Amino acid sequence: MLQRGGGNPAALFLLAGLSVEEWEMAVQRRRAGTKSKDVYVVQAAFRFALRQFLRFSETAARKVGLTPQQYQGLLAIHGFPERDQVSVGELAERLQLQHHSTVGLIDRLVAKGLAAREKSTIDRRQVLVRLTPRGIRTVERVSAANRGELRRLRPQLTQLLDRMVRLEGRGVSRER
């Protein structure tokens, strides 16, 4: 393992068990203030695990006749804190979409009978969106499958997160 600060560079080279190329790359990263390759390996593995989950979720949504974005919309509405309905702006924020894209998504959910629009009783200019009973059943079905997949991936995700935290705390290092 490379250590920060003092020490004989030649001795560190031998102790680290690195090839000349690996040693030179580690020295260059250290001089540039960049992280060891291990940090990027772990980040890439974590992103891959997240993509596996997202692909699973997209497939689960399609199995019930939804696009992934429609499922995300249902989940954002059903999972909104303290209320059973959301404004178009709140839904746009949760989904990180533009207002007009969110309106189109709501139109498609309403057309499928999964959501309904209603005027706010507080501000008549504001349109609220809530799930219909069919929408609730649909989001619950896909969410149950997703929770099962998350349970399956949990050990891998937590191991990668723990490893990332350890590597970040070490600075330039080699972990084998």
Side-chain angles (χ1 to χ4, degrees):
M1 176 177 9
L2 294 175
Q3 297 174 351
R4 294 187 153 194
N8 179 343
L12 288 175
F13 172 73
L14 293 172
L15 288 173
L18 302 174
S19 70
V20 173
E21 293 82 17
E22 290 173 321
W23 174 261
E24 288 173 351
M25 189 175 262
V27 169
Q28 287 173 356
R29 280 195 293 264
R30 184 175 176 186
R31 286 182 183 147
T34 58
K35 300 294 180 186
S36 74
K37 181 159 175 74
D38 291 335
V39 170
Y40 300 104
V41 169
V42 173
Q43 282 180 318
F46 185 75
R47 188 180 188 294
F48 176 64
L50 290 177
R51 264 310 294 144
Q52 287 179 307
F53 170 71
L54 291 174
R55 184 166 184 188
F56 177 91
S57 181
E58 291 162 359
T59 301
R62 287 187 181 101
K63 284 181 181 177
V64 298
L66 297 175
T67 66
Q69 196 170 52
Q70 288 169 340
Y71 167 69
Q72 291 168 23
L74 294 177
L75 182 61
I77 296 166
H78 200 52
F80 199 81
E82 301 177 22
R83 294 199 326 261
D84 292 329
Q85 74 276 346
V86 298
S87 70
V88 176
E90 290 168 331
L91 186 57
E93 173 65 25
R94 287 290 172 129
L95 298 175
Q96 294 293 286
L97 295 175
Q98 296 293 319
H99 186 274
H100 67 277
S101 298
T102 305
V103 170
L105 174 62
I106 292 167
D107 289 344
R108 291 185 292 280
L109 293 174
V110 169
K112 287 181 167 274
L114 300 170
R117 285 185 176 92
E118 48 193 47
K119 292 274 186 188
S120 170
T121 56
I122 298 167
D123 181 352
R124 301 297 285 164
R125 296 170 296 173
Q126 191 174 49
V127 175
L128 300 175
V129 183
R130 64 171 176 77
L131 297 187
T132 62
R134 181 176 177 208
I136 293 169
R137 285 191 306 274
T138 303
V139 75
E140 286 175 348
R141 181 175 171 194
V142 178
S143 291
N146 285 343
R147 286 190 306 275
E149 180 67 0
L150 283 171
R151 279 190 298 277
R152 186 186 75 76
L153 289 171
R154 181 182 178 190
Q156 179 184 4
L157 291 171
T158 55
Q159 177 187 24
L160 288 167
L161 282 172
D162 290 346
R163 188 163 179 223
M164 203 177 316
V165 168
R166 283 194 312 274
L167 287 170
E168 285 291 325
R170 287 188 184 156
V172 177
S173 66
R174 284 290 291 187
E175 190 174 274
R176 295 253 176 196

